[in-house]
Amino acid sequence: MTDSPTPASPVVDVLCVGAGFSGLYAAYQAREHGWTFAGFEAAADVGGTWFLNTYPGARCDVESVYYSYSFSEELQKEWTWSERFAPQEEILRYINHVADRFDLRRYFRFGTKVVAANWLPAEKLWEVTLDSGATRRGRYLLAASGGLSTPKDVDVPGLENFAGLTVSTSRWNVSLDDLAGKRVAVIGTGSSGVQCIPLIAEVAEHLTVFQRTANYVFPARNRPLPPEVVDDIKSRYPEIRQECRYSPGGIPDRPVTDRAFDVSDEERRRRYEAAYERSGFLGVGAEFADLLFDLDANQTAADFFRGKIHEIVHDDRTATLLEPHFPLGAKRSCFGTGYYETFNRPNVSLVSLREEPITTMTADSIVTEAGSYEVDAVVLAIGFDAFTGPLFGLNVTAPGHGRLQDAWRDGVRTYLGLLTAGFPNFFMVAGPQSPALASNVVLTIEQAVDWIAGLITHARAEGHEVIETTTEGQDDWVDITEWTVNQTLYATTDSWYRGSNVAGKPSTFMGYVGGVGRYRRICEEIARRGYPGVALDSSAVAKGIGRIDTEVDG
Ligand code: NA7
């Protein structure tokens, strides 16, 4: 494997965008397969989302012992996570450790943005254009650009009038001290807002939280990991990882078969209390088998949760405004530390943008339909242009199909979330319509890279240069993802899962929610059958995917 172009061999096997969890593992696998690899990363170093999201309190919501690579037994033995949910700094340290441990940094050029990618049909090559104007060519193009890496365009009215400090959680470039003693506004109450709000409240003179949609914020119950727990997990890692790979969410499952109304009100309440104490993705929202499928069942969990807010928050009106009003779990729940308790502080107030939308801002205030709030600093925690934002930013273009954003004008269309019709030899790692959004994404990334490497190996072994999905194969996968999500309450709720957080974005559900294990079995079966729905040099074993078991893993 070579790490940089030479005049004699300018074409690499794999061109890759991004040096986060996906890109690093892709570089590792490329080397294992003996393929040349050239990676490009816009940021100054490895880490992807964990390099950029450095806001106070940034922390993963998947437990650290699972949110980590499983490909190397030595790596999982030697790395020790310190807390149940790892903070951003520790995850970034881990990613740096992996890059050094496996000597992967050398395959990437940092501070280098890919601004265009063009398929050259005659040469059967991709050519990427870098922000320097230079170009590179390669046989396969891998988008390892992440799902939540492109911030949503700022759509807060009048922000350009504001003269104070403005900072975004997704591009944090100040210190908490810069907010000390100031009147601070936080706009947005998704995971990012929920994590930074309690810490900002501790230093601000006054914090005003501007909430549009109240979310479910479970107590994370983060804690240090005792050495004996870590030792036990390390001694069983291979079996734990195997269980995760075939689980619904990519973390060890806690199977339940009974439904919410199978038990008495008292029993249900007792079970929710225990689940609330346990917390995590296998907490209240996973306590009964029908909670994500049946609105009435879900309502019992949502009611329980709303009661908890009122137990914590002293002011009744504030507690009522904090109540979420969509099915629990239908968009990603948040896990916070002291979130609702923060609203009991005398220096914190809540503004509901449902009651009083922002109309504009002045040099020193946020003006709503009901009044004006003087602030010195505004923290934007307004989220991301999920999945398609990073992909469209690459301006991936294939003759006859235009740019990816043209091909997906009416919505995302993929084959397994990994390929898309009309764009040969182009692969997405943990892309839209993969299980990425509803999974422990590190596992999903490993599985995607492994499957793509398997397909490339298969094609090369058969002497084929061009790999693409058929339209029929892609249509089948889109049908499967839509059928799957329509079984669930995910289909009922607006969120970045559906693209509804970005104005004008077509509403397509961005993930496959049938379960990580189910998806893996589907991918394995497709590979075993010789890749139906994939054409190699224009010939396919079957144009469509064919019959496949698509039940939803609960
Ligand atoms: P999210 O979850 O998309 O949250 C963004 C929040 O910002 C959410 O409360 C939005 O309200 C709010 N928002 C967005 N635009 C505006 C405007 N213009 N005015 C007021 N409020 C606004 O992003 P996060 O970064 O918190 O989390 C993303 C993922 O990262 C998370 O799911 C985890 O997987 C990790 P809305 O709900 O749209 O009404």
Side-chain angles (χ1 to χ4, degrees):
M1 176 154 179
T2 54
D3 60 338
S4 59
T6 65
S9 59
V11 174
V12 290
D13 289 314
V14 182
L15 293 166
C16 174
V17 187
F21 271 109
S22 298
L24 289 178
Y25 185 56
Y28 173 84
Q29 277 300 344
R31 182 173 60 198
E32 290 290 293
H33 286 78
W35 301 330
T36 53
F37 183 97
F40 307 97
E41 167 58 62
D45 207 343
V46 295
T49 202
W50 297 108
F51 181 85
L52 293 166
N53 283 266
T54 59
Y55 61 85
R59 193 177 284 283
C60 188
D61 56 8
V62 175
E63 289 169 285
S64 53
V65 292
Y66 310 126
Y67 189 86
S68 46
Y69 287 119
S70 71
F71 68 85
S72 161
E73 180 59 9
E74 294 76 32
L75 172 64
Q76 42 189 30
K77 280 256 159 64
E78 74 200 12
W79 184 266
T80 299
W81 293 104
S82 64
E83 295 177 62
R84 181 184 184 195
F85 296 103
Q88 172 268 335
E89 313 85 72
E90 190 171 356
I91 301 173
L92 188 59
R93 212 162 51 240
Y94 170 78
I95 296 173
N96 273 278
H97 169 75
V98 172
D100 293 336
R101 165 88 168 67
F102 297 97
D103 192 18
L104 300 173
R105 220 182 285 272
R106 59 200 290 258
Y107 302 116
F108 290 88
R109 203 182 293 171
F110 295 97
T112 304
K113 201 168 152 57
V114 170
V115 294
N118 287 285
W119 174 243
L120 310 175
E123 291 94 334
K124 298 176 184 167
L125 294 175
W126 280 99
E127 181 174 82
V128 293
T129 306
L130 310 176
D131 50 359
S132 63
T135 57
R136 281 303 304 275
R137 290 184 174 189
R139 292 180 180 82
Y140 311 105
L141 173 64
L142 205 62
S145 38
L148 295 169
S149 45
T150 301
K152 194 179 85 141
D153 284 345
V154 175
D155 52 2
V156 180
L159 187 67
E160 65 281 3
N161 304 332
F162 184 62
L165 174 69
T166 304
V167 61
S168 167
T169 50
S170 55
R171 294 289 183 270
W172 192 262
N173 56 4
V174 300
S175 91
L176 205 47
D177 290 343
D178 294 319
L179 302 177
K182 291 201 162 71
R183 297 164 301 176
V184 181
V186 173
I187 302 178
T189 52
S191 295
S192 305
V194 157
Q195 289 183 335
C196 69
I197 281 167
L199 296 171
I200 294 174
E202 282 177 16
V203 301
E205 179 200 302
H206 190 88
L207 169 64
T208 311
V209 175
F210 290 82
Q211 168 193 276
R212 192 161 67 185
T213 307
N215 217 324
Y216 293 86
V217 185
F218 288 94
R221 307 209 188 285
N222 186 39
R223 52 183 174 262
L225 282 174
E228 61 277 15
V229 170
V230 175
D231 289 348
D232 173 56
I233 287 171
K234 284 189 180 184
S235 72
R236 295 185 297 112
Y237 247 137
E239 67 191 81
I240 291 173
R241 296 295 197 184
Q242 197 58 6
E243 185 188 347
C244 293
R245 291 186 185 109
Y246 291 93
S247 69
I251 53 177
D253 195 20
R254 191 178 164 278
V256 284
T257 50
D258 57 349
R259 293 164 301 177
F261 294 110
D262 288 347
V263 301
S264 68
D265 291 354
E266 295 73 42
E267 171 69 0
R268 198 182 314 115
R269 166 116 208 146
R270 194 192 58 70
R271 297 248 310 249
Y272 284 148
E273 287 286 1
Y276 186 78
E277 286 308 310
R278 203 167 55 235
S279 193
F281 281 109
L282 298 178
V284 175
E287 189 51 37
F288 294 99
D290 54 349
L291 292 182
L292 252 183
F293 301 89
D294 181 290
L295 197 53
D296 291 335
N298 192 286
Q299 194 67 21
T300 64
D303 285 344
F304 166 84
F305 183 82
R306 288 189 278 263
K308 283 289 173 197
I309 299 176
H310 284 269
E311 283 174 24
I312 300 169
V313 178
H314 303 154
D315 177 60
D316 209 43
R317 178 175 148 71
T318 304
T320 301
L321 291 178
L322 287 165
E323 288 182 7
H325 291 289
F326 58 88
L328 196 169
K331 68 178 177 185
R332 201 176 180 107
S333 292
C334 299
F335 297 92
T337 298
Y339 178 68
Y340 292 121
E341 289 82 351
T342 297
F343 293 92
N344 292 332
R345 294 177 66 109
N347 70 330
V348 175
S349 48
L350 178 68
V351 172
S352 167
L353 298 177
R354 298 275 170 207
E355 293 190 341
E356 42 175 311
I358 295 173
T359 52
T360 191
M361 289 174 69
T362 67
D364 63 356
S365 69
I366 297 179
V367 183
T368 70
E369 284 182 4
S372 171
Y373 301 85
E374 288 195 354
V375 291
D376 306 307
V378 172
V379 174
L380 296 169
I382 59 173
F384 298 88
D385 185 356
F387 290 102
T388 54
L391 291 170
F392 292 171
L394 303 178
N395 290 306
V396 182
T397 306
H401 296 276
R403 294 182 306 164
L404 190 60
Q405 41 270 59
D406 303 319
W408 290 359
R409 186 179 296 113
D410 298 326
V412 171
R413 298 193 78 76
T414 75
Y415 174 86
L416 298 173
L418 299 168
L419 294 88
T420 186
F423 296 81
N425 290 4
F426 170 58
F427 303 96
M428 296 165 284
V429 181
Q433 296 174 343
S434 81
L437 61 66
S439 76
N440 165 10
V441 77
V442 184
L443 223 78
T444 299
I445 285 166
E446 286 185 329
Q447 189 255 342
V449 171
D450 291 347
W451 193 90
I452 293 165
L455 172 55
I456 292 175
T457 303
H458 168 78
R460 287 162 86 107
E462 308 248 307
H464 295 295
E465 291 178 277
V466 177
I467 303 168
E468 57 192 322
T469 177
T470 61
T471 315
E472 293 83 351
Q474 172 168 281
D475 289 348
D476 283 351
W477 185 248
V478 172
D479 288 349
I480 289 169
T481 55
E482 283 177 3
W483 179 88
T484 307
V485 75
N486 286 332
Q487 311 300 304
T488 73
L489 296 174
Y490 286 115
T492 64
T493 303
D494 283 346
S495 70
W496 62 262
Y497 281 10
R498 308 176 56 80
S500 40
N501 65 328
V502 173
K505 190 163 172 172
S507 177
T508 338
F509 195 79
M510 293 283 168
Y512 169 74
V513 291
V516 163
R518 173 82 51 182
Y519 176 80
R520 182 180 286 268
R521 285 192 291 272
I522 290 172
C523 289
E524 287 170 347
E525 188 179 334
I526 285 176
R528 235 184 351 259
R529 285 197 205 157
Y531 300 95
V534 174
L536 301 177
D537 288 331
S538 303
S539 68
V541 293
K543 287 195 162 177
I545 289 178
R547 267 176 58 82
I548 211 120
D549 183 2
T550 53
E551 285 303 304
V552 181
D553 286 343

